[in-house]
Amino acid sequence: GAFLRQQRAVVQRSDLRSILPSITCPTAIIHGAADRLIPLAAAEETTAAMPAATFTIIEGAGHFLFHERPAAARDAV
């Protein structure tokens, strides 16, 4: 149902990586070290493309890091 619709929308959306350098506001990119849905390299690429981005890896967390490691995620924000 809803999960499959969401996944189809993600796969079919436009690639907007070219606009990342134009985002100049402070941006926190927080990634679970054990995320099996989005590779760590994707988060690193996004961070590198954004001039005001900070990058935090949450050890012991996967894709749902705010649920899996709420205190660490909160501290990263």
Side-chain angles (χ1 to χ4, degrees), residues 1-61:
F3 179 77
L4 289 177
R5 284 192 305 276
Q6 183 180 33
Q7 294 307 305
R8 281 190 204 103
V10 168
V11 169
Q12 295 171 353
R13 73 176 178 221
S14 299
D15 183 352
L16 299 174
R17 287 179 288 181
S18 65
I19 69 165
L20 292 176
S22 70
I23 301 171
T24 58
C25 65
T27 304
I29 297 175
I30 306 166
H31 195 83
D35 191 331
R36 297 184 316 183
L37 297 178
I38 299 174
L40 182 61
E44 292 170 332
E45 177 185 352
T46 301
T47 303
M50 297 177 71
T54 59
F55 183 49
T56 304
I57 298 173
I58 305 293
E59 296 296 331

Side-chain angles (χ1 to χ4, degrees), residues 65-76:
L65 59 103
F66 284 89
H67 176 72
E68 298 166 14
R69 298 284 316 277
R74 181 190 65 239
D75 291 347

